[in-house]
Amino acid sequence: MLLAQDLAVFRGEHCVFAGLGFELRSGEVLQLHGDNGSGKTTLLRALCTLLPLEQGTISWRGSALPGARAQYFSEMIYSGHSEAIKSDLSPRENLIAGAALRGSDSIDIDAIIERVGLSDKAELSCRSLSAGQRRRVTLARLLTSHTALWVLDEPLTSLDVHGRALVEALIVEHAKQGGSVIYTTHQPLSLDGCDVRSLKIGL
Amino acid sequence: MLLAQDLAVFRGEHCVFAGLGFELRSGEVLQLHGDNGSGKTTLLRALCTLLPLEQGTISWRGSALPGARAQYFSEMIYSGHSEAIKSDLSPRENLIAGAALRGSDSIDIDAIIERVGLSDKAELSCRSLSAGQRRRVTLARLLTSHTALWVLDEPLTSLDVHGRALVEALIVEHAKQGGSVIYTTHQPLSLDGCDVRSLKIGL
Amino acid sequence: MFQWFHRLAASKNFYRLAEILGPLFGVLGAILLTLGVYRGLFVAPTDYEQGESYRIIYVHVPSAWMSMFVYMVMAFCSALFLIWKMKLADIIAEVSAPMGAAFTFLALATGSLWGKPMWGTWWEWDARLTSELILLFLYIGYMALRASIDNRGSAARAAAILALVGVVNIPIIHYSVEWWNTLHQPASITKFDTPSIHISMLVPLLMMALGFTFFYFTNMLSRARSVILEREANNNWVKDRFRENRL
Amino acid sequence: MGGAFWALLKRDMLLAFRRRADWLNPLVFFVIVVTLFPLGIGPDPGLLRDIAPGVLWVAALLATLLALDGLFRSDFDDGSLEQLLLSPQPLSVLVLAKVLAHWLVTGLPLLLLSPLLAVVMQLQVVAIPVLLVSLLVGTLTLSLVGAIGAALTVGLQRGGVLLALLVLPLFIPVLIFGSSSVIAAASGFAVDAQLYLLGALFLLALVLAPPAIAAALRISTE
Amino acid sequence: MGGAFWALLKRDMLLAFRRRADWLNPLVFFVIVVTLFPLGIGPDPGLLRDIAPGVLWVAALLATLLALDGLFRSDFDDGSLEQLLLSPQPLSVLVLAKVLAHWLVTGLPLLLLSPLLAVVMQLQVVAIPVLLVSLLVGTLTLSLVGAIGAALTVGLQRGGVLLALLVLPLFIPVLIFGSSSVIAAASGFAVDAQLYLLGALFLLALVLAPPAIAAALRISTE
Ligand code: HEM
Ligand SMILES: Nc1ncnc2c1ncn2[C@@H]1O[C@H](COP(=O)(O)OP(=O)(O)OP(=O)(O)O)[C@@H](O)[C@H]1O
Ligand SMILES: Nc1ncnc2c1ncn2[C@@H]1O[C@H](COP(=O)(O)OP(=O)(O)OP(=O)(O)O)[C@@H](O)[C@H]1O
Ligand SMILES: [Mg+2]
Ligand SMILES: [Mg+2]
């Protein structure tokens, strides 16, 4: 589905990585490994076209990216360091607005909120959620649209053990249904029954 | 050193915890446990007098807090969710400014920067550091002033395995020298040779 | 004395007191206002200079006085709250602000209605008018600040600081504006200061002023009661009263 | 496409409704700036009447400008902007929804209050309808044009003043046509020419601004 | 104590030096607002000269106001403000250092540029020294008073406009004394009274503002 060839990204003068390539098929999970500052976030943002490539091409289902952007965006979802949550809205309102923006409407928001363990906070303003509870809202967002590709930057941040188990279950499920996932984390993640590949970034 | 008695903190209408108390002696390490949203951050901020107590007293070396604030502040340091790093300054400049603000001047900044593994980034602007590299600057800040009490909120966030080992070493060292540490994390931390107690927050 | 004060400040006791005083003030206020309106509109003689339009005075002057009085109440309560952490004082300050703003607005509106026949314009940049306008801004700022902070405790303390800063500033504003105005223009428009006012006009005016004051206290007490109920909804005495259906 | 437009509009209006300060503040700022002028200049009614159209227009412009800073900033800060950029819907349509919501929340109340301020500034009554029309078309144009600046500066820490710097030159034609139409009306002259020009500027902005805003947003999130 | 004061002052000046926009922007804003007026009002020189003191002062006030928003915001956003509150040094001293740095970066350049703009606005040359003195004392007072508002609103998402709302009423006496001193000087009258009053306001602000700012900051970080 996703094919990256010979990618190079510069930040300022500094080459973060070069000559990087991989292919991601349906049902596959790819973990990025690398020390702090090795360029994982940079790669993920470049894959989302949020950063310009110095060199190389990214293609989605065979068509190169800047062109196929509309289709690509409707089939991928990115969850980054920042949470994209409106503090003044409740988790439910946030999720509804997010789903509408992605063009998906017939979803069962309640079930999703239940799934991420926010049932009793669904109507509170997100300002009063703790760090981990806010993260759970971003997890719920992944479920509100049926996208093929998930791009997750450190999804375990601030999550407790139940939260980690939830992330593991979500990834495994998504891969089983034929979706693919690229993620990065510094914590061990056990994805049983999944086809996990790993890519090391940095020197 | 630090004595907390019968603490209760409210956020809005909601009682986050009540009737909480503990004592922390010199050389002791206290880990706060609790699920997402159980109130760990709230407790740490209240211990720093950044949040008002609904009830209870905190005392430092025998004198109750709002009064003994000046002495307390000169002997404690807090490292929270947000990093308190100026993106336009380099790590070195950040550390120097931070140390001056705390009134300590005769310290070896270079050795500290070396210690946290930022030697080759010491003169870059912090804007171009990765998430983990920025965290390391906050670790360095702990070392720039010789304070007795460290209050750390999820110090492992974004750190890789070397980073985690560094945090472990710093805590053990600090405790050995008679300092005390309160911290919270959702990841396992191995503090060998340390007197680690733990406190569970939440129902 | 101080103990009495503290016992009163407990919201339960205050609630009970407000329950009694509120209706009492309400009745007194209603009587005074009816009498004042009647005597002001029908009994008091027509002004030989201004005709009938001067009768706006019976709304205008009391509301102008109240606009300043309420700010003083608010600032005083803010000081009590900041120094002694009296929650009751915060409640009174909170519920007073919109009323003070309303009185200020009323003074501005009636003054401006009066200004059209008297001066030929709705508005003049007169000293007193200008400082009344600024007072309205202070009220609005106070309420906007309160509304913008989610955490109630923080909102209360931030607003209290602002009210106190404002109270330092009010006399400064007052004198600076007065001075600014007289510097450029001789007192051509200050028709306010007609020193003598006939007793038949003065009595209803005072009645109206007192009536406005009672109205303020009635309204303030009932607002304070509902805020107390809201804040203490989890306390037993509120639950008991709710069960017994006498809130 | 329409669905996402309305959803975004609805979300932004809901947010504005939650934080009343959003629409109250530019309004009160407008009022305060207008009242500052007599205080700075002195209370002479003749002088005030002469400068009233200019002051009202400059105050409206400054209020719009100040409000603009918040147009994309909160979305940028919390990462929602990235998600907007990754939406499968055409970005310029989404951006138009945001600008429209912003104008409804900040521009419209200002428009509704302007007659009152015109009276305070002793403006002739005949000029008030023209003031309203020119402000209606003008503030819409200002919002569209200003949004380009807001998009360019949203990534910068203290974008506020830089934003002012970037968009004020673009605002000047609107200011000139707007205030001169009111001056003309107050002196009893015809105002068609100025209003047509304002309308033309608005159409131009409506066509050109959305793609420019979209492009600027993509740059700002790099 | 002195050490921390100087360290903070130095840090803030260094930061301002790194991001040139900080001191350039209020300046350019000042210039642009002053130039907007002739555009909005029309180019009649007599009229311009009459309103020059008022416009210069209002523009200086608005520029100060805009810059104020950034006074504590970046420290708040990145958590440095919490660290400041946890410093063993007295908070009102540290706060004074921040206000001073802010004034040096935003108020001083504005002051230095004002004679030029006064000439552009056709202000009488005799009034220029008075303009300078009144702006010097006045903008210092505005910075101190405005910092209270900045501290109260720093935790709020769109504090900018709320800040304007909160502090503008407090700014009015400074505006009145400042501009009327220039008006008096331009008409050849004595200006001692106004300048003494400005000085008195400054001293009052210097004494009362720092503890108020400190208290407000503690509330805002709760
Ligand atoms: C928008 C316009 C006006 C405003 C904002 C306004 C405001 C005020 C204020 C604040 C006061 C209380 C002053 C004090 O007790 O210190 C006052 C009193 C008064 N006003 Fe007005 N006023 C306005 C228009 C008028 C007009 C047009 C008249 C009639 C010519 C008028 C007649 C009076 C009188 C007779 C008093 C009582 C004076 C006294 O207590 O010494 N006002 N007004
Ligand atoms: N805006 C920028 N300008 C210049 N260099 C940058 C910028 N952002 C990141 N870098 C550099 O690029 C490198 C990779 O950063 P990146 O954020 O991708 O790392 P990462 O692998 O995500 O690390 P972490 O595990 O700490 O999150 C770092 O060495 C950093 O110094
Ligand atoms: N500003 C606030 N207003 C109201 N409630 C709040 C506020 N901040 C936090 N809370 C509530 O207080 C509780 C504790 O939050 P806190 O941030 O202390 O949790 P935590 O233990 O640090 O969780 P995490 O592991 O997710 O960081 C949460 O349930 C949250 O909903
Ligand atoms: Mg990263
Ligand atoms: Mg936490």
Side-chain angles (χ1 to χ4, degrees), chain D residues 53-54 57-59 61 142 170-181 198 201, chain E residues 35-37 39-40:
Chain D
W57 251 96
V58 170
L61 190 152
L142 294 183
L170 302 176
F171 280 10
I172 284 176
V174 180
L175 171 67
I176 289 179
F177 294 136
S179 69
S180 70
S181 72
L198 270 184
L201 284 181
Chain E
T35 45
L36 279 184
F37 270 92
L39 294 174

Side-chain angles (χ1 to χ4, degrees), chain B residues 51-70:
Chain B
L51 281 182
L53 294 176
E54 188 72 19
Q55 198 184 308
T57 52
I58 303 170
S59 36
W60 175 251
R61 299 196 193 281
S63 36
L65 250 204
R69 195 150 66 177

Side-chain angles (χ1 to χ4, degrees), chain D residues 34-47:
Chain D
V34 171
T35 48
L36 279 184
F37 272 94
L39 293 173
I41 285 163
D44 173 4
L47 192 57

Side-chain angles (χ1 to χ4, degrees), chain B residues 164-179:
Chain B
R164 172 186 323 201
L166 176 66
V167 172
E168 286 164 354
L170 291 180
I171 293 182
V172 170
E173 223 167 75
H174 185 61
K176 287 240 171 80
Q177 289 167 6

Side-chain angles (χ1 to χ4, degrees), chain C residues 163-235:
Chain C
L164 288 183
V165 172
V167 90
V168 174
N169 207 48
I170 277 188
I172 300 177
I173 292 177
H174 183 79
Y175 288 111
S176 63
V177 168
E178 205 138 85
W179 199 66
W180 159 77
N181 192 259
T182 52
L183 189 71
H184 306 287
Q185 276 194 278
S188 60
I189 45 171
T190 22
K191 284 179 194 153
F192 303 110
D193 306 314
T194 31
S196 60
I197 176 169
H198 194 270
I199 188 78
S200 60
M201 295 181 183
L202 183 64
V203 168
L205 184 62
L206 291 180
M207 283 177 162
M208 288 301 283
L210 211 58
F212 266 58
T213 315
F214 278 125
F215 168 72
Y216 160 68
F217 276 108
T218 310
N219 198 319
M220 184 269 278
L221 289 174
S222 84
R223 281 160 178 268
R225 274 172 58 191
S226 51
V227 174
I228 289 176
L229 285 185
E230 194 188 321
R231 292 198 188 180
E232 310 237 329
N234 291 326
N235 281 18

